[in-house]
PDB file of all heavy atoms in Angstrom:
ATOM      1  N   GLY A  20      12.935  -3.928   1.989  1.00  0.00           N
ATOM      2  CA  GLY A  20      14.179  -4.515   2.316  1.00  0.00           C
ATOM      3  C   GLY A  20      14.222  -5.970   2.453  1.00  0.00           C
ATOM      4  O   GLY A  20      13.375  -6.704   1.967  1.00  0.00           O
ATOM      5  N   ALA A  21      15.334  -6.579   2.954  1.00  0.00           N
ATOM      6  CA  ALA A  21      15.444  -7.960   3.133  1.00  0.00           C
ATOM      7  C   ALA A  21      15.420  -8.327   4.547  1.00  0.00           C
ATOM      8  O   ALA A  21      16.113  -7.713   5.374  1.00  0.00           O
ATOM      9  CB  ALA A  21      16.865  -8.346   2.511  1.00  0.00           C
ATOM     10  N   VAL A  22      14.618  -9.270   4.951  1.00  0.00           N
ATOM     11  CA  VAL A  22      14.423  -9.737   6.349  1.00  0.00           C
ATOM     12  C   VAL A  22      14.388 -11.182   6.332  1.00  0.00           C
ATOM     13  O   VAL A  22      14.117 -11.944   5.302  1.00  0.00           O
ATOM     14  CB  VAL A  22      13.196  -9.097   6.966  1.00  0.00           C
ATOM     15  CG1 VAL A  22      13.373  -7.613   7.126  1.00  0.00           C
ATOM     16  CG2 VAL A  22      11.936  -9.513   6.285  1.00  0.00           C
ATOM     17  N   GLN A  23      14.544 -11.839   7.522  1.00  0.00           N
ATOM     18  CA  GLN A  23      14.418 -13.202   7.694  1.00  0.00           C
ATOM     19  C   GLN A  23      12.934 -13.574   8.048  1.00  0.00           C
ATOM     20  O   GLN A  23      12.222 -12.662   8.502  1.00  0.00           O
ATOM     21  CB  GLN A  23      15.304 -13.743   8.743  1.00  0.00           C
ATOM     22  CG  GLN A  23      16.797 -13.737   8.353  1.00  0.00           C
ATOM     23  CD  GLN A  23      17.620 -14.405   9.324  1.00  0.00           C
ATOM     24  OE1 GLN A  23      17.374 -14.471  10.555  1.00  0.00           O
ATOM     25  NE2 GLN A  23      18.760 -15.042   8.821  1.00  0.00           N
ATOM     26  N   ALA A  24      12.509 -14.724   7.775  1.00  0.00           N
ATOM     27  CA  ALA A  24      11.129 -15.105   8.111  1.00  0.00           C
ATOM     28  C   ALA A  24      10.909 -14.914   9.542  1.00  0.00           C
ATOM     29  O   ALA A  24      11.730 -15.140  10.461  1.00  0.00           O
ATOM     30  CB  ALA A  24      11.032 -16.650   7.735  1.00  0.00           C
ATOM     31  N   GLY A  25       9.658 -14.381   9.860  1.00  0.00           N
ATOM     32  CA  GLY A  25       9.406 -14.048  11.127  1.00  0.00           C
ATOM     33  C   GLY A  25       9.561 -12.637  11.491  1.00  0.00           C
ATOM     34  O   GLY A  25       9.106 -12.094  12.559  1.00  0.00           O
ATOM     35  N   GLY A  26      10.287 -11.936  10.626  1.00  0.00           N
ATOM     36  CA  GLY A  26      10.613 -10.491  10.923  1.00  0.00           C
ATOM     37  C   GLY A  26       9.592  -9.546  10.590  1.00  0.00           C
ATOM     38  O   GLY A  26       8.475  -9.972  10.094  1.00  0.00           O
ATOM     39  N   SER A  27       9.837  -8.236  10.698  1.00  0.00           N
ATOM     40  CA  SER A  27       8.800  -7.195  10.463  1.00  0.00           C
ATOM     41  C   SER A  27       9.487  -6.085   9.589  1.00  0.00           C
ATOM     42  O   SER A  27      10.664  -5.829   9.580  1.00  0.00           O
ATOM     43  CB  SER A  27       8.375  -6.607  11.732  1.00  0.00           C
ATOM     44  OG  SER A  27       7.729  -7.579  12.549  1.00  0.00           O
ATOM     45  N   LEU A  28       8.647  -5.446   8.782  1.00  0.00           N
ATOM     46  CA  LEU A  28       8.884  -4.377   8.005  1.00  0.00           C
ATOM     47  C   LEU A  28       7.659  -3.328   8.128  1.00  0.00           C
ATOM     48  O   LEU A  28       6.547  -3.831   8.236  1.00  0.00           O
ATOM     49  CB  LEU A  28       9.251  -4.653   6.607  1.00  0.00           C
ATOM     50  CG  LEU A  28      10.610  -5.236   6.251  1.00  0.00           C
ATOM     51  CD1 LEU A  28      10.662  -5.690   4.817  1.00  0.00           C
ATOM     52  CD2 LEU A  28      11.751  -4.369   6.667  1.00  0.00           C
ATOM     53  N   ARG A  29       7.977  -2.030   7.931  1.00  0.00           N
ATOM     54  CA  ARG A  29       7.004  -1.063   7.831  1.00  0.00           C
ATOM     55  C   ARG A  29       7.177  -0.237   6.526  1.00  0.00           C
ATOM     56  O   ARG A  29       8.149   0.466   6.410  1.00  0.00           O
ATOM     57  CB  ARG A  29       6.993  -0.157   8.969  1.00  0.00           C
ATOM     58  CG  ARG A  29       5.799   0.779   9.116  1.00  0.00           C
ATOM     59  CD  ARG A  29       5.915   1.798  10.140  1.00  0.00           C
ATOM     60  NE  ARG A  29       4.696   2.556  10.447  1.00  0.00           N
ATOM     61  CZ  ARG A  29       4.613   3.706  10.912  1.00  0.00           C
ATOM     62  NH1 ARG A  29       5.725   4.396  11.149  1.00  0.00           N
ATOM     63  NH2 ARG A  29       3.374   4.245  11.245  1.00  0.00           N
ATOM     64  N   LEU A  30       6.213  -0.480   5.660  1.00  0.00           N
ATOM     65  CA  LEU A  30       6.288   0.289   4.366  1.00  0.00           C
ATOM     66  C   LEU A  30       5.596   1.638   4.577  1.00  0.00           C
ATOM     67  O   LEU A  30       4.541   1.658   5.235  1.00  0.00           O
ATOM     68  CB  LEU A  30       5.608  -0.507   3.256  1.00  0.00           C
ATOM     69  CG  LEU A  30       6.191  -1.877   2.967  1.00  0.00           C
ATOM     70  CD1 LEU A  30       5.539  -2.544   1.767  1.00  0.00           C
ATOM     71  CD2 LEU A  30       7.719  -1.880   2.779  1.00  0.00           C
ATOM     72  N   SER A  31       6.025   2.573   3.819  1.00  0.00           N
ATOM     73  CA  SER A  31       5.386   3.913   3.722  1.00  0.00           C
ATOM     74  C   SER A  31       5.087   4.286   2.326  1.00  0.00           C
ATOM     75  O   SER A  31       5.794   3.879   1.466  1.00  0.00           O
ATOM     76  CB  SER A  31       6.241   4.969   4.337  1.00  0.00           C
ATOM     77  OG  SER A  31       6.513   4.709   5.827  1.00  0.00           O
ATOM     78  N   CYS A  32       4.052   4.980   2.138  1.00  0.00           N
ATOM     79  CA  CYS A  32       3.536   5.518   0.849  1.00  0.00           C
ATOM     80  C   CYS A  32       3.309   6.903   1.061  1.00  0.00           C
ATOM     81  O   CYS A  32       2.309   7.361   1.596  1.00  0.00           O
ATOM     82  CB  CYS A  32       2.366   4.813   0.346  1.00  0.00           C
ATOM     83  SG  CYS A  32       1.662   5.536  -1.294  1.00  0.00           S
ATOM     84  N   ALA A  33       4.231   7.800   0.565  1.00  0.00           N
ATOM     85  CA  ALA A  33       4.117   9.290   0.840  1.00  0.00           C
ATOM     86  C   ALA A  33       3.513   9.927  -0.520  1.00  0.00           C
ATOM     87  O   ALA A  33       3.863   9.562  -1.645  1.00  0.00           O
ATOM     88  CB  ALA A  33       5.470   9.914   1.024  1.00  0.00           C
ATOM     89  N   ALA A  34       2.595  10.677  -0.182  1.00  0.00           N
ATOM     90  CA  ALA A  34       1.828  11.381  -1.384  1.00  0.00           C
ATOM     91  C   ALA A  34       2.310  12.854  -1.449  1.00  0.00           C
ATOM     92  O   ALA A  34       2.312  13.561  -0.465  1.00  0.00           O
ATOM     93  CB  ALA A  34       0.343  11.200  -1.268  1.00  0.00           C
ATOM     94  N   SER A  35       2.369  13.275  -2.621  1.00  0.00           N
ATOM     95  CA  SER A  35       2.678  14.730  -2.869  1.00  0.00           C
ATOM     96  C   SER A  35       1.397  15.474  -2.967  1.00  0.00           C
ATOM     97  O   SER A  35       0.280  14.839  -3.134  1.00  0.00           O
ATOM     98  CB  SER A  35       3.458  14.964  -4.017  1.00  0.00           C
ATOM     99  OG  SER A  35       2.728  14.459  -5.151  1.00  0.00           O
ATOM    100  N   GLY A  36       1.416  16.783  -2.803  1.00  0.00           N
ATOM    101  CA  GLY A  36       0.118  17.572  -3.064  1.00  0.00           C
ATOM    102  C   GLY A  36      -0.661  17.557  -1.653  1.00  0.00           C
ATOM    103  O   GLY A  36      -0.389  16.896  -0.757  1.00  0.00           O
ATOM    104  N   ARG A  37      -1.730  18.370  -1.673  1.00  0.00           N
ATOM    105  CA  ARG A  37      -2.559  18.519  -0.398  1.00  0.00           C
ATOM    106  C   ARG A  37      -3.904  18.009  -0.532  1.00  0.00           C
ATOM    107  O   ARG A  37      -4.751  18.271   0.178  1.00  0.00           O
ATOM    108  CB  ARG A  37      -2.579  20.015  -0.223  1.00  0.00           C
ATOM    109  CG  ARG A  37      -1.263  20.721   0.256  1.00  0.00           C
ATOM    110  CD  ARG A  37      -1.437  22.140   0.495  1.00  0.00           C
ATOM    111  NE  ARG A  37      -1.548  22.842  -0.731  1.00  0.00           N
ATOM    112  CZ  ARG A  37      -1.608  24.196  -0.766  1.00  0.00           C
ATOM    113  NH1 ARG A  37      -1.608  24.949   0.334  1.00  0.00           N
ATOM    114  NH2 ARG A  37      -1.687  24.815  -1.862  1.00  0.00           N
ATOM    115  N   THR A  38      -4.102  17.017  -1.450  1.00  0.00           N
ATOM    116  CA  THR A  38      -5.395  16.354  -1.671  1.00  0.00           C
ATOM    117  C   THR A  38      -5.381  14.886  -1.196  1.00  0.00           C
ATOM    118  O   THR A  38      -6.319  14.176  -1.550  1.00  0.00           O
ATOM    119  CB  THR A  38      -5.839  16.401  -3.062  1.00  0.00           C
ATOM    120  OG1 THR A  38      -4.933  15.842  -3.928  1.00  0.00           O
ATOM    121  CG2 THR A  38      -5.988  17.954  -3.338  1.00  0.00           C
ATOM    122  N   PHE A  39      -4.406  14.567  -0.424  1.00  0.00           N
ATOM    123  CA  PHE A  39      -4.286  13.111  -0.111  1.00  0.00           C
ATOM    124  C   PHE A  39      -5.564  12.506   0.604  1.00  0.00           C
ATOM    125  O   PHE A  39      -5.860  11.315   0.329  1.00  0.00           O
ATOM    126  CB  PHE A  39      -3.097  12.888   0.861  1.00  0.00           C
ATOM    127  CG  PHE A  39      -2.896  11.587   1.383  1.00  0.00           C
ATOM    128  CD1 PHE A  39      -2.348  10.514   0.526  1.00  0.00           C
ATOM    129  CD2 PHE A  39      -3.153  11.141   2.553  1.00  0.00           C
ATOM    130  CE1 PHE A  39      -2.153   9.173   1.074  1.00  0.00           C
ATOM    131  CE2 PHE A  39      -2.933   9.899   3.243  1.00  0.00           C
ATOM    132  CZ  PHE A  39      -2.446   8.917   2.308  1.00  0.00           C
ATOM    133  N   ARG A  40      -6.194  13.281   1.468  1.00  0.00           N
ATOM    134  CA  ARG A  40      -7.283  12.887   2.084  1.00  0.00           C
ATOM    135  C   ARG A  40      -8.515  12.638   1.147  1.00  0.00           C
ATOM    136  O   ARG A  40      -9.590  12.149   1.595  1.00  0.00           O
ATOM    137  CB  ARG A  40      -7.716  13.850   3.179  1.00  0.00           C
ATOM    138  CG  ARG A  40      -8.182  15.162   2.703  1.00  0.00           C
ATOM    139  CD  ARG A  40      -8.439  16.147   3.917  1.00  0.00           C
ATOM    140  NE  ARG A  40      -7.229  16.458   4.600  1.00  0.00           N
ATOM    141  CZ  ARG A  40      -7.132  16.118   5.953  1.00  0.00           C
ATOM    142  NH1 ARG A  40      -8.047  15.343   6.517  1.00  0.00           N
ATOM    143  NH2 ARG A  40      -6.009  16.433   6.553  1.00  0.00           N
ATOM    144  N   SER A  41      -8.451  13.051  -0.130  1.00  0.00           N
ATOM    145  CA  SER A  41      -9.523  12.810  -1.091  1.00  0.00           C
ATOM    146  C   SER A  41      -9.345  11.420  -1.764  1.00  0.00           C
ATOM    147  O   SER A  41     -10.257  11.053  -2.605  1.00  0.00           O
ATOM    148  CB  SER A  41      -9.429  13.876  -2.176  1.00  0.00           C
ATOM    149  OG  SER A  41      -9.724  15.112  -1.650  1.00  0.00           O
ATOM    150  N   TYR A  42      -8.400  10.580  -1.440  1.00  0.00           N
ATOM    151  CA  TYR A  42      -8.130   9.381  -2.089  1.00  0.00           C
ATOM    152  C   TYR A  42      -8.243   8.195  -1.228  1.00  0.00           C
ATOM    153  O   TYR A  42      -7.787   8.166  -0.047  1.00  0.00           O
ATOM    154  CB  TYR A  42      -6.733   9.400  -2.645  1.00  0.00           C
ATOM    155  CG  TYR A  42      -6.418  10.329  -3.729  1.00  0.00           C
ATOM    156  CD1 TYR A  42      -6.201  11.775  -3.488  1.00  0.00           C
ATOM    157  CD2 TYR A  42      -6.507   9.995  -5.155  1.00  0.00           C
ATOM    158  CE1 TYR A  42      -5.972  12.526  -4.583  1.00  0.00           C
ATOM    159  CE2 TYR A  42      -6.250  10.820  -6.185  1.00  0.00           C
ATOM    160  CZ  TYR A  42      -6.087  12.188  -5.831  1.00  0.00           C
ATOM    161  OH  TYR A  42      -5.818  13.041  -6.926  1.00  0.00           O
ATOM    162  N   VAL A  43      -9.056   7.190  -1.774  1.00  0.00           N
ATOM    163  CA  VAL A  43      -8.891   5.854  -1.115  1.00  0.00           C
ATOM    164  C   VAL A  43      -7.604   5.249  -1.595  1.00  0.00           C
ATOM    165  O   VAL A  43      -7.159   5.441  -2.604  1.00  0.00           O
ATOM    166  CB  VAL A  43     -10.015   4.954  -1.535  1.00  0.00           C
ATOM    167  CG1 VAL A  43     -10.085   4.719  -3.047  1.00  0.00           C
ATOM    168  CG2 VAL A  43     -10.088   3.636  -0.755  1.00  0.00           C
ATOM    169  N   MET A  44      -6.950   4.513  -0.596  1.00  0.00           N
ATOM    170  CA  MET A  44      -5.537   4.055  -0.924  1.00  0.00           C
ATOM    171  C   MET A  44      -5.592   2.507  -0.685  1.00  0.00           C
ATOM    172  O   MET A  44      -6.319   1.897   0.003  1.00  0.00           O
ATOM    173  CB  MET A  44      -4.661   4.672   0.100  1.00  0.00           C
ATOM    174  CG  MET A  44      -4.489   6.185   0.172  1.00  0.00           C
ATOM    175  SD  MET A  44      -3.814   6.768  -1.411  1.00  0.00           S
ATOM    176  CE  MET A  44      -2.173   6.159  -1.272  1.00  0.00           C
ATOM    177  N   GLY A  45      -4.571   1.903  -1.514  1.00  0.00           N
ATOM    178  CA  GLY A  45      -4.388   0.482  -1.399  1.00  0.00           C
ATOM    179  C   GLY A  45      -3.029   0.093  -1.567  1.00  0.00           C
ATOM    180  O   GLY A  45      -2.230   0.784  -2.034  1.00  0.00           O
ATOM    181  N   TRP A  46      -2.686  -1.112  -1.099  1.00  0.00           N
ATOM    182  CA  TRP A  46      -1.351  -1.801  -1.266  1.00  0.00           C
ATOM    183  C   TRP A  46      -1.572  -3.039  -2.093  1.00  0.00           C
ATOM    184  O   TRP A  46      -2.522  -3.792  -1.874  1.00  0.00           O
ATOM    185  CB  TRP A  46      -0.781  -2.221   0.100  1.00  0.00           C
ATOM    186  CG  TRP A  46      -0.216  -1.063   0.817  1.00  0.00           C
ATOM    187  CD1 TRP A  46      -0.747  -0.472   1.980  1.00  0.00           C
ATOM    188  CD2 TRP A  46       1.093  -0.518   0.662  1.00  0.00           C
ATOM    189  NE1 TRP A  46       0.071   0.519   2.428  1.00  0.00           N
ATOM    190  CE2 TRP A  46       1.203   0.463   1.673  1.00  0.00           C
ATOM    191  CE3 TRP A  46       2.074  -0.674  -0.285  1.00  0.00           C
ATOM    192  CZ2 TRP A  46       2.348   1.334   1.853  1.00  0.00           C
ATOM    193  CZ3 TRP A  46       3.223   0.222  -0.150  1.00  0.00           C
ATOM    194  CH2 TRP A  46       3.284   1.090   0.920  1.00  0.00           C
ATOM    195  N   PHE A  47      -0.684  -3.248  -3.032  1.00  0.00           N
ATOM    196  CA  PHE A  47      -0.768  -4.459  -3.944  1.00  0.00           C
ATOM    197  C   PHE A  47       0.568  -4.970  -3.998  1.00  0.00           C
ATOM    198  O   PHE A  47       1.646  -4.243  -3.676  1.00  0.00           O
ATOM    199  CB  PHE A  47      -1.246  -4.121  -5.300  1.00  0.00           C
ATOM    200  CG  PHE A  47      -2.736  -3.760  -5.370  1.00  0.00           C
ATOM    201  CD1 PHE A  47      -3.107  -2.479  -5.072  1.00  0.00           C
ATOM    202  CD2 PHE A  47      -3.702  -4.679  -5.730  1.00  0.00           C
ATOM    203  CE1 PHE A  47      -4.461  -2.143  -5.110  1.00  0.00           C
ATOM    204  CE2 PHE A  47      -5.003  -4.350  -5.744  1.00  0.00           C
ATOM    205  CZ  PHE A  47      -5.336  -3.074  -5.390  1.00  0.00           C
ATOM    206  N   ARG A  48       0.828  -6.240  -4.321  1.00  0.00           N
ATOM    207  CA  ARG A  48       2.176  -6.823  -4.457  1.00  0.00           C
ATOM    208  C   ARG A  48       2.138  -7.741  -5.825  1.00  0.00           C
ATOM    209  O   ARG A  48       1.087  -8.258  -6.077  1.00  0.00           O
ATOM    210  CB  ARG A  48       2.602  -7.691  -3.262  1.00  0.00           C
ATOM    211  CG  ARG A  48       1.730  -8.829  -2.857  1.00  0.00           C
ATOM    212  CD  ARG A  48       2.173  -9.459  -1.559  1.00  0.00           C
ATOM    213  NE  ARG A  48       1.511 -10.685  -1.276  1.00  0.00           N
ATOM    214  CZ  ARG A  48       1.600 -11.371  -0.130  1.00  0.00           C
ATOM    215  NH1 ARG A  48       2.381 -10.888   0.842  1.00  0.00           N
ATOM    216  NH2 ARG A  48       0.876 -12.450   0.012  1.00  0.00           N
ATOM    217  N   GLN A  49       3.346  -7.918  -6.231  1.00  0.00           N
ATOM    218  CA  GLN A  49       3.516  -8.758  -7.454  1.00  0.00           C
ATOM    219  C   GLN A  49       4.827  -9.433  -7.240  1.00  0.00           C
ATOM    220  O   GLN A  49       5.914  -8.879  -7.209  1.00  0.00           O
ATOM    221  CB  GLN A  49       3.414  -7.970  -8.702  1.00  0.00           C
ATOM    222  CG  GLN A  49       3.340  -8.927  -9.974  1.00  0.00           C
ATOM    223  CD  GLN A  49       2.917  -8.195 -11.171  1.00  0.00           C
ATOM    224  OE1 GLN A  49       2.946  -6.975 -11.292  1.00  0.00           O
ATOM    225  NE2 GLN A  49       2.518  -8.988 -12.105  1.00  0.00           N
ATOM    226  N   ALA A  50       4.818 -10.775  -7.251  1.00  0.00           N
ATOM    227  CA  ALA A  50       5.884 -11.662  -7.153  1.00  0.00           C
ATOM    228  C   ALA A  50       6.391 -12.082  -8.616  1.00  0.00           C
ATOM    229  O   ALA A  50       5.452 -12.053  -9.530  1.00  0.00           O
ATOM    230  CB  ALA A  50       5.723 -12.840  -6.258  1.00  0.00           C
ATOM    231  N   PRO A  51       7.583 -12.403  -8.909  1.00  0.00           N
ATOM    232  CA  PRO A  51       8.022 -12.795 -10.206  1.00  0.00           C
ATOM    233  C   PRO A  51       7.104 -13.922 -10.631  1.00  0.00           C
ATOM    234  O   PRO A  51       6.950 -14.925 -10.024  1.00  0.00           O
ATOM    235  CB  PRO A  51       9.492 -13.203  -9.982  1.00  0.00           C
ATOM    236  CG  PRO A  51       9.968 -12.389  -8.901  1.00  0.00           C
ATOM    237  CD  PRO A  51       8.707 -12.305  -7.904  1.00  0.00           C
ATOM    238  N   GLY A  52       6.662 -13.820 -11.927  1.00  0.00           N
ATOM    239  CA  GLY A  52       5.918 -14.859 -12.518  1.00  0.00           C
ATOM    240  C   GLY A  52       4.351 -15.025 -12.099  1.00  0.00           C
ATOM    241  O   GLY A  52       3.741 -15.934 -12.445  1.00  0.00           O
ATOM    242  N   LYS A  53       4.027 -14.111 -11.110  1.00  0.00           N
ATOM    243  CA  LYS A  53       2.737 -14.223 -10.576  1.00  0.00           C
ATOM    244  C   LYS A  53       1.961 -13.008 -10.846  1.00  0.00           C
ATOM    245  O   LYS A  53       2.478 -11.944 -11.207  1.00  0.00           O
ATOM    246  CB  LYS A  53       2.715 -14.460  -8.982  1.00  0.00           C
ATOM    247  CG  LYS A  53       3.286 -15.681  -8.658  1.00  0.00           C
ATOM    248  CD  LYS A  53       3.218 -16.023  -7.166  1.00  0.00           C
ATOM    249  CE  LYS A  53       3.832 -17.327  -6.775  1.00  0.00           C
ATOM    250  NZ  LYS A  53       3.547 -17.582  -5.275  1.00  0.00           N
ATOM    251  N   GLU A  54       0.596 -13.091 -10.798  1.00  0.00           N
ATOM    252  CA  GLU A  54      -0.348 -11.883 -10.946  1.00  0.00           C
ATOM    253  C   GLU A  54      -0.292 -10.934  -9.755  1.00  0.00           C
ATOM    254  O   GLU A  54       0.153 -11.331  -8.666  1.00  0.00           O
ATOM    255  CB  GLU A  54      -1.659 -12.406 -11.218  1.00  0.00           C
ATOM    256  CG  GLU A  54      -1.876 -13.168 -12.443  1.00  0.00           C
ATOM    257  CD  GLU A  54      -3.310 -13.387 -12.771  1.00  0.00           C
ATOM    258  OE1 GLU A  54      -4.254 -13.224 -11.935  1.00  0.00           O
ATOM    259  OE2 GLU A  54      -3.776 -13.953 -13.916  1.00  0.00           O
ATOM    260  N   ARG A  55      -0.539  -9.779  -9.996  1.00  0.00           N
ATOM    261  CA  ARG A  55      -0.722  -8.772  -8.973  1.00  0.00           C
ATOM    262  C   ARG A  55      -1.757  -9.243  -8.011  1.00  0.00           C
ATOM    263  O   ARG A  55      -2.753  -9.628  -8.281  1.00  0.00           O
ATOM    264  CB  ARG A  55      -1.013  -7.400  -9.543  1.00  0.00           C
ATOM    265  CG  ARG A  55      -1.049  -6.184  -8.569  1.00  0.00           C
ATOM    266  CD  ARG A  55      -1.421  -5.041  -9.218  1.00  0.00           C
ATOM    267  NE  ARG A  55      -0.253  -4.492 -10.078  1.00  0.00           N
ATOM    268  CZ  ARG A  55      -0.445  -3.419 -10.781  1.00  0.00           C
ATOM    269  NH1 ARG A  55      -1.571  -2.933 -11.148  1.00  0.00           N
ATOM    270  NH2 ARG A  55       0.691  -3.029 -11.570  1.00  0.00           N
ATOM    271  N   GLU A  56      -1.431  -8.961  -6.719  1.00  0.00           N
ATOM    272  CA  GLU A  56      -2.263  -9.527  -5.656  1.00  0.00           C
ATOM    273  C   GLU A  56      -2.665  -8.316  -4.742  1.00  0.00           C
ATOM    274  O   GLU A  56      -1.762  -7.513  -4.297  1.00  0.00           O
ATOM    275  CB  GLU A  56      -1.561 -10.515  -4.831  1.00  0.00           C
ATOM    276  CG  GLU A  56      -2.303 -11.036  -3.578  1.00  0.00           C
ATOM    277  CD  GLU A  56      -1.544 -12.049  -2.739  1.00  0.00           C
ATOM    278  OE1 GLU A  56      -0.323 -12.084  -3.037  1.00  0.00           O
ATOM    279  OE2 GLU A  56      -2.095 -12.692  -1.868  1.00  0.00           O
ATOM    280  N   PHE A  57      -3.952  -8.218  -4.398  1.00  0.00           N
ATOM    281  CA  PHE A  57      -4.451  -7.269  -3.392  1.00  0.00           C
ATOM    282  C   PHE A  57      -3.878  -7.627  -2.041  1.00  0.00           C
ATOM    283  O   PHE A  57      -4.013  -8.713  -1.511  1.00  0.00           O
ATOM    284  CB  PHE A  57      -5.896  -7.293  -3.312  1.00  0.00           C
ATOM    285  CG  PHE A  57      -6.599  -6.500  -2.266  1.00  0.00           C
ATOM    286  CD1 PHE A  57      -6.545  -5.120  -2.151  1.00  0.00           C
ATOM    287  CD2 PHE A  57      -7.146  -7.151  -1.153  1.00  0.00           C
ATOM    288  CE1 PHE A  57      -7.046  -4.373  -1.177  1.00  0.00           C
ATOM    289  CE2 PHE A  57      -7.645  -6.489  -0.067  1.00  0.00           C
ATOM    290  CZ  PHE A  57      -7.622  -5.073  -0.049  1.00  0.00           C
ATOM    291  N   VAL A  58      -3.403  -6.593  -1.384  1.00  0.00           N
ATOM    292  CA  VAL A  58      -2.861  -6.663  -0.009  1.00  0.00           C
ATOM    293  C   VAL A  58      -3.762  -6.095   1.086  1.00  0.00           C
ATOM    294  O   VAL A  58      -4.117  -6.748   2.032  1.00  0.00           O
ATOM    295  CB  VAL A  58      -1.430  -6.171   0.180  1.00  0.00           C
ATOM    296  CG1 VAL A  58      -0.883  -6.288   1.622  1.00  0.00           C
ATOM    297  CG2 VAL A  58      -0.433  -7.000  -0.812  1.00  0.00           C
ATOM    298  N   ALA A  59      -3.978  -4.703   0.794  1.00  0.00           N
ATOM    299  CA  ALA A  59      -4.739  -4.073   1.806  1.00  0.00           C
ATOM    300  C   ALA A  59      -5.381  -2.738   1.174  1.00  0.00           C
ATOM    301  O   ALA A  59      -4.733  -2.285   0.198  1.00  0.00           O
ATOM    302  CB  ALA A  59      -3.900  -3.727   3.087  1.00  0.00           C
ATOM    303  N   ALA A  60      -6.312  -2.185   1.798  1.00  0.00           N
ATOM    304  CA  ALA A  60      -6.852  -0.948   1.293  1.00  0.00           C
ATOM    305  C   ALA A  60      -7.466  -0.271   2.556  1.00  0.00           C
ATOM    306  O   ALA A  60      -7.852  -0.889   3.567  1.00  0.00           O
ATOM    307  CB  ALA A  60      -8.039  -1.161   0.322  1.00  0.00           C
ATOM    308  N   ILE A  61      -7.489   1.052   2.387  1.00  0.00           N
ATOM    309  CA  ILE A  61      -8.046   1.814   3.560  1.00  0.00           C
ATOM    310  C   ILE A  61      -8.829   3.076   2.943  1.00  0.00           C
ATOM    311  O   ILE A  61      -8.489   3.705   1.947  1.00  0.00           O
ATOM    312  CB  ILE A  61      -6.801   2.430   4.432  1.00  0.00           C
ATOM    313  CG1 ILE A  61      -7.291   3.190   5.631  1.00  0.00           C
ATOM    314  CG2 ILE A  61      -5.865   3.292   3.549  1.00  0.00           C
ATOM    315  CD1 ILE A  61      -6.244   3.371   6.684  1.00  0.00           C
ATOM    316  N   SER A  62      -9.943   3.437   3.571  1.00  0.00           N
ATOM    317  CA  SER A  62     -10.828   4.438   3.085  1.00  0.00           C
ATOM    318  C   SER A  62     -10.146   5.833   3.339  1.00  0.00           C
ATOM    319  O   SER A  62      -9.085   5.918   4.000  1.00  0.00           O
ATOM    320  CB  SER A  62     -12.146   4.386   3.856  1.00  0.00           C
ATOM    321  OG  SER A  62     -11.940   4.558   5.331  1.00  0.00           O
ATOM    322  N   ARG A  63     -10.761   6.814   2.721  1.00  0.00           N
ATOM    323  CA  ARG A  63     -10.224   8.176   2.809  1.00  0.00           C
ATOM    324  C   ARG A  63      -9.945   8.690   4.300  1.00  0.00           C
ATOM    325  O   ARG A  63      -9.034   9.279   4.501  1.00  0.00           O
ATOM    326  CB  ARG A  63     -11.292   9.223   2.158  1.00  0.00           C
ATOM    327  CG  ARG A  63     -11.157   9.255   0.601  1.00  0.00           C
ATOM    328  CD  ARG A  63     -12.311  10.116   0.105  1.00  0.00           C
ATOM    329  NE  ARG A  63     -12.284  11.375   0.840  1.00  0.00           N
ATOM    330  CZ  ARG A  63     -13.292  12.295   0.704  1.00  0.00           C
ATOM    331  NH1 ARG A  63     -14.236  12.066  -0.117  1.00  0.00           N
ATOM    332  NH2 ARG A  63     -13.341  13.344   1.414  1.00  0.00           N
ATOM    333  N   ASP A  64     -10.937   8.376   5.136  1.00  0.00           N
ATOM    334  CA  ASP A  64     -10.937   8.806   6.509  1.00  0.00           C
ATOM    335  C   ASP A  64     -10.262   7.797   7.439  1.00  0.00           C
ATOM    336  O   ASP A  64     -10.152   8.161   8.598  1.00  0.00           O
ATOM    337  CB  ASP A  64     -12.306   9.232   7.046  1.00  0.00           C
ATOM    338  CG  ASP A  64     -13.236   8.056   7.074  1.00  0.00           C
ATOM    339  OD1 ASP A  64     -12.849   6.896   6.758  1.00  0.00           O
ATOM    340  OD2 ASP A  64     -14.425   8.229   7.532  1.00  0.00           O
ATOM    341  N   GLY A  65      -9.788   6.756   6.858  1.00  0.00           N
ATOM    342  CA  GLY A  65      -9.129   5.655   7.678  1.00  0.00           C
ATOM    343  C   GLY A  65      -9.979   4.929   8.559  1.00  0.00           C
ATOM    344  O   GLY A  65      -9.517   3.941   9.284  1.00  0.00           O
TER     345      GLY A  65
END
């Protein structure tokens, strides 16, 4: 969504299926005109 500087947001990534715990997960972002950037990653067991 849209927020002002200093604000907060919580993103969710919902997975279908029952094998979610078998996957390492990551967040990436891409701004216009820029390369994709690594944001965060988390192991299978967290």
Side-chain angles (χ1 to χ4, degrees):
V22 297
Q23 291 190 329
S27 298
L28 284 173
R29 189 191 196 204
L30 303 184
S31 297
C32 174
S35 64
R37 290 180 285 182
T38 59
F39 177 71
R40 64 182 67 246
S41 299
Y42 292 82
V43 61
M44 301 293 296
W46 285 103
F47 292 81
R48 67 185 182 185
Q49 189 164 21
K53 294 188 177 181
E54 293 187 352
R55 182 179 287 169
E56 178 186 10
F57 168 73
V58 175
I61 187 166
S62 60
R63 280 175 45 189
D64 62 2

